[in-house]
Amino acid sequence: MSKSGSADREERLATEGRLKYRGTARIGLEVLHFTWNEPREPNEKSLKKLKRCFEKGQCDRLTRNHIPAVISQSQLDDTLRASNVPAERLLINTDPHPELKFPAGYQLRCLHGRHRVLAAQEVLPPQERWWTVDIYLEGRHNSYKRHDCCYAFADISL
């Protein structure tokens, strides 16, 4: 029995995601950038709900609610060197995840999680303004695209 076109596509996207995954790290909120949501305004109702969760300590940013982001291999290599973190350490999926330091003004392209970051910036104390990010390589022929409120790899150029 042959797979449907949709099932083939899902399998292809999942395989590409596994191939491009480089690991997980803690990254400062100021680095996280959300181009998919611009110029749409943030949803105030969602922000209020998330702020209440943060204030009550109910948001798990360590084991759940990771934000996926894309980066070039060269920028990842430079960041790992500057942070004194071996690439293999990103793949050890236990807390504490390593903290990556980016150059001033760097914007890491995130695929979703904008409301979480905006709420965290308002509620968390400065020393706690970070998020757990799953890092994926961008590619020349493969990228990430939003589909029905989900983000996945798609066959388009960045």
Side-chain angles (χ1 to χ4, degrees), residues 85-152:
V85 173
E88 300 79 30
R89 176 64 181 95
L90 296 179
L91 294 169
I92 300 171
N93 215 1
T94 58
D95 192 53
H97 295 288
E99 183 178 353
L100 295 184
K101 301 289 186 183
F102 288 82
Y106 185 83
Q107 294 182 334
L108 181 65
R109 187 173 17 177
C110 298
L111 302 177
H112 64 78
R114 179 178 180 212
H115 285 90
R116 282 175 271 170
V117 169
L118 290 172
Q121 287 172 328
E122 290 187 38
V123 175
L124 295 177
Q127 67 276 13
E128 290 294 316
R129 291 187 184 151
W130 56 267
W131 205 270
T132 304
V133 176
D134 291 332
I135 301 165
Y136 295 88
L137 288 184
E138 63 186 18
R140 184 164 184 243
H141 299 292
N142 300 303
S143 162
Y144 308 86
K145 187 175 180 180
R146 185 173 182 180
H147 290 285
D148 300 325
C149 299
C150 298
Y151 292 86

Side-chain angles (χ1 to χ4, degrees), residues 2 4 7 21 27 40 42 48 54 61 83 91 119 133 140 149:
S2 77
S4 71
Y21 176 71
I27 298 176
R40 192 182 82 180
K48 285 180 185 178
F54 282 116
R61 58 189 167 149
S83 303
L91 294 169
V133 176
R140 184 164 184 243
C149 299

Side-chain angles (χ1 to χ4, degrees), residues 26-79:
R26 288 183 185 199
I27 298 176
L29 298 179
E30 72 282 357
V31 174
L32 306 180
H33 181 68
F34 300 88
T35 58
W36 293 105
N37 292 327
E38 293 176 8
R40 192 182 82 180
E41 292 298 317
N43 180 306
E44 289 301 320
K45 185 177 178 181
S46 294
L47 284 173
K48 285 180 185 178
K49 181 180 177 183
L50 286 165
K51 286 184 216 177
R52 282 193 302 273
C53 286
F54 282 116
E55 289 165 350
K56 295 176 182 178
Q58 296 175 331
C59 187
D60 180 3
R61 58 189 167 149
L62 296 176
T63 59
R64 298 176 49 201
N65 301 310
H66 292 188
I67 293 175
V70 294
I71 190 170
S72 71
Q73 183 65 61
S74 63
Q75 186 63 54
L76 178 59
D77 292 343
D78 292 345
T79 300

